[in-house]
Short mmCIF file of all heavy atoms in Angstrom, two decimals:
data_model
loop_
_atom_site.label_atom_id
_atom_site.label_comp_id
_atom_site.label_asym_id
_atom_site.label_seq_id
_atom_site.Cartn_x
_atom_site.Cartn_y
_atom_site.Cartn_z
N ASN A 850 33.92 2.13 44.79
CA ASN A 850 32.96 1.06 44.86
C ASN A 850 31.96 1.15 43.67
O ASN A 850 30.95 0.46 43.60
CB ASN A 850 32.24 1.03 46.20
CG ASN A 850 31.75 2.39 46.56
OD1 ASN A 850 31.96 3.36 45.82
ND2 ASN A 850 31.13 2.49 47.67
N LYS A 851 32.18 2.07 42.70
CA LYS A 851 31.31 2.15 41.53
C LYS A 851 32.06 1.50 40.33
O LYS A 851 32.99 2.01 39.83
CB LYS A 851 30.99 3.64 41.19
CG LYS A 851 30.15 4.28 42.26
CD LYS A 851 28.68 3.91 42.23
CE LYS A 851 27.94 4.58 43.34
NZ LYS A 851 26.88 3.76 43.90
N GLN A 852 31.55 0.37 39.96
CA GLN A 852 32.18 -0.46 38.91
C GLN A 852 32.44 0.24 37.66
O GLN A 852 33.55 0.09 37.10
CB GLN A 852 31.24 -1.67 38.71
CG GLN A 852 31.89 -2.80 37.90
CD GLN A 852 33.20 -3.32 38.57
OE1 GLN A 852 33.30 -3.36 39.80
NE2 GLN A 852 34.20 -3.58 37.72
N GLU A 853 31.49 1.02 37.14
CA GLU A 853 31.66 1.79 35.89
C GLU A 853 32.78 2.78 35.94
O GLU A 853 33.64 2.91 35.04
CB GLU A 853 30.41 2.56 35.41
CG GLU A 853 29.06 1.92 35.76
CD GLU A 853 28.51 2.28 37.12
OE1 GLU A 853 28.89 1.63 38.11
OE2 GLU A 853 27.87 3.31 37.23
N LEU A 854 32.91 3.47 37.10
CA LEU A 854 33.98 4.48 37.30
C LEU A 854 35.31 3.80 37.40
O LEU A 854 36.28 4.18 36.73
CB LEU A 854 33.78 5.20 38.64
CG LEU A 854 32.70 6.27 38.69
CD1 LEU A 854 32.69 6.93 40.08
CD2 LEU A 854 32.88 7.31 37.56
N VAL A 855 35.41 2.71 38.12
CA VAL A 855 36.69 1.97 38.28
C VAL A 855 37.12 1.36 36.88
O VAL A 855 38.32 1.52 36.55
CB VAL A 855 36.51 0.79 39.27
CG1 VAL A 855 37.77 -0.06 39.31
CG2 VAL A 855 36.29 1.37 40.68
N GLU A 856 36.21 0.88 36.12
CA GLU A 856 36.53 0.30 34.79
C GLU A 856 37.11 1.35 33.87
O GLU A 856 38.20 1.21 33.26
CB GLU A 856 35.31 -0.34 34.17
CG GLU A 856 35.46 -1.82 34.13
CD GLU A 856 34.15 -2.48 33.66
OE1 GLU A 856 33.56 -2.02 32.65
OE2 GLU A 856 33.64 -3.37 34.46
N LYS A 857 36.39 2.54 33.85
CA LYS A 857 36.83 3.65 33.00
C LYS A 857 38.22 4.12 33.43
O LYS A 857 39.12 4.37 32.64
CB LYS A 857 35.77 4.73 33.09
CG LYS A 857 36.03 5.93 32.14
CD LYS A 857 35.72 5.55 30.73
CE LYS A 857 35.96 6.76 29.76
NZ LYS A 857 35.84 6.37 28.38
N ALA A 858 38.34 4.27 34.79
CA ALA A 858 39.67 4.80 35.26
C ALA A 858 40.75 3.78 34.97
O ALA A 858 41.90 4.24 34.70
CB ALA A 858 39.54 5.06 36.81
N LYS A 859 40.51 2.50 35.14
CA LYS A 859 41.52 1.49 34.80
C LYS A 859 41.96 1.59 33.33
O LYS A 859 43.21 1.46 33.02
CB LYS A 859 40.98 0.10 35.07
CG LYS A 859 41.05 -0.24 36.56
CD LYS A 859 42.41 -0.86 37.00
CE LYS A 859 42.38 -1.18 38.50
NZ LYS A 859 43.69 -1.37 39.05
N ASN A 860 41.03 1.90 32.43
CA ASN A 860 41.42 2.05 31.05
C ASN A 860 42.31 3.24 30.85
O ASN A 860 43.33 3.11 30.15
CB ASN A 860 40.08 2.37 30.26
CG ASN A 860 39.41 1.10 29.87
OD1 ASN A 860 40.02 0.02 29.90
ND2 ASN A 860 38.14 1.21 29.53
N VAL A 861 42.01 4.38 31.54
CA VAL A 861 42.85 5.52 31.42
C VAL A 861 44.24 5.27 32.00
O VAL A 861 45.26 5.62 31.33
CB VAL A 861 42.19 6.72 32.18
CG1 VAL A 861 43.10 7.92 32.18
CG2 VAL A 861 40.84 7.07 31.55
N TYR A 862 44.22 4.60 33.15
CA TYR A 862 45.45 4.20 33.82
C TYR A 862 46.37 3.42 32.92
O TYR A 862 47.57 3.69 32.77
CB TYR A 862 45.10 3.48 35.14
CG TYR A 862 46.21 2.77 35.83
CD1 TYR A 862 47.20 3.54 36.53
CD2 TYR A 862 46.31 1.45 35.84
CE1 TYR A 862 48.21 2.94 37.15
CE2 TYR A 862 47.37 0.78 36.56
CZ TYR A 862 48.32 1.51 37.18
OH TYR A 862 49.33 0.91 37.82
#
Side-chain angles (χ1 to χ4, degrees):
N850 50 0
K851 294 283 178 216
Q852 194 54 38
E853 324 88 272
L854 286 182
V855 173
E856 248 171 52
K857 185 75 181 171
K859 280 276 178 194
N860 277 342
V861 175
Y862 169 71

